[in-house]
Structure formats: structure tokens, C-alpha cells
Amino acid sequence: MGGQYRITGDKYPRMRRPRRRGRLVGLTVASAAVLGVGGWGTLQLIDVFTGGDDPAPASGTKAACADTVSRTVAPKPLPAPGTITVNVLNATTRGGLAQKTADELKKRGFKIGEVGNATEQYDKKVKGAGVLLGPATALDTSLPVLGVQLAGAEHRTDPARKGSEVDLIIGDGFKDLTRKADADRALTALAEPEATPAPKKNC
């Protein structure tokens, strides 16, 4: 061949195939898609096995859903010792216990009624410190007030009993009344309002 197409020298030109840019772009996009799907799947597996983290509620929601809020209960209307008449009865074989106990209760503000030996129903049959006996209406009123004066005493009610007087029946386990300071603290605690948790809210 001659002219401008004449080949000279001892090297022949190499014919290169045209680059297929479209295929490279397609492979790149496909690889990115595969990596993206694989990464998303890995995150899902991690979330399944770790339980995930719940998003923190807004401050308003947190306040509305708090279950530690307490409500104050109004104090129970307990009678004062000066309005309670106590019969002091001795169910033991030890003499003088009823009078001694009655004198101490009087010093603590209680009214004293009958002082003497217990009836046959209780005489020599009370093994504990004592029994506090009263009408059904005294269960949440007079008996708790008297009960702080003798720790461990059993509280009983007699539905057939009339009036408001209560009995302190001294048993074999009786040693002495509760110390006045301790009894006063217990009585104050009875009259104080109690805090109760508010019902939980579903958030």
C-alpha cells in the first residue's frame, strides 16, 4: 500500500477492541446493590439477636408514663386515748398485774373501766402477751390505738358485743406494756397519711 497508508518499519500496529464502558458501569451498580442488601441483612440479624434499642420517649411522654408517682392517702380518723375506755383483766396466776397495768394506761391518757380477773372463757387460757377484745366497730379504731401499748397482743372482736368499751386481757406471756416513747411513735405512724403508688399507664 502506498501513500498515507503505507506501513514502514518492522512493527505492526495492534488493533485494540473498543472499551465497553456500559458493562463496567453495570457491574459497578450491581456490586453496590449486592453489598447494600448484604449490609441491610446483617443489621437485621444483629437487631434480632440483640433485641434492638427502643427509642427514647419524648419528655412529655416520659412524664405521662412514669409509674413511680405516689398518691397520698388521707389519714384514718383514729380516736384519741382519752375517748377509749379500757377494762383491764388478768388471765394469769400472777396477782396485781391488772391494777398495775391499769394505772399505767391511765397515765397514758386512757379511761379505765373494770379492773379484775378475766372471765372463765379466758382465765388461764391466754398464752401470749394478751388479747385485745372489743365490738366489731373497734377493729379499725380503738383496738389499733390500744394495740400500740402492748406489742404482740392479739386483736379480737365480738359482733354481739354492745357499747364501745374494749378489754385488755393479760396473758401468760405478758411482761410489761410497750415503752411509752415507742408507743407514742407507733401511734403517730398510725395517724400519718400513707403513700400508695399510682396505677401504671400503658404507653
Side-chain angles (χ1 to χ4, degrees), residues 32-117:
V34 170
L35 290 175
V37 172
W40 180 82
T42 302
L43 290 176
Q44 292 299 312
L45 288 175
I46 293 174
D47 186 65
V48 167
F49 286 105
T50 60
D53 295 329
D54 295 332
S59 59
T61 304
K62 184 183 294 184
C65 296
D67 58 2
T68 57
V69 179
S70 297
R71 295 179 178 177
T72 301
V73 179
K76 297 179 181 180
L78 296 175
T83 63
I84 302 174
T85 299
V86 183
N87 301 316
V88 184
L89 307 174
N90 186 3
T92 75
T93 57
R94 293 175 286 168
L97 283 182
Q99 189 61 58
K100 178 183 177 181
T101 303
D103 292 342
E104 181 60 29
L105 287 175
K106 186 175 181 179
K107 292 178 183 178
R108 300 184 184 189
F110 291 88
K111 291 183 177 180
I112 303 301
E114 180 185 351
V115 178
N117 294 325

Side-chain angles (χ1 to χ4, degrees), residues 4-22:
Q4 61 178 340
Y5 299 104
R6 184 177 181 179
I7 300 174
T8 61
D10 56 358
K11 294 183 180 180
Y12 296 92
R14 296 180 179 180
M15 304 300 289
R16 296 181 180 179
R17 295 181 180 180
R19 296 180 180 178
R20 299 180 179 179
R21 295 182 179 178

Side-chain angles (χ1 to χ4, degrees), residues 83-86 133-135 137-138 141-142 161-167:
T83 63
I84 302 174
T85 299
V86 183
L133 178 65
T137 55
T141 55
S142 300
R161 185 164 180 168
K162 304 299 182 181
S164 59
E165 294 185 359
V166 293
D167 297 344

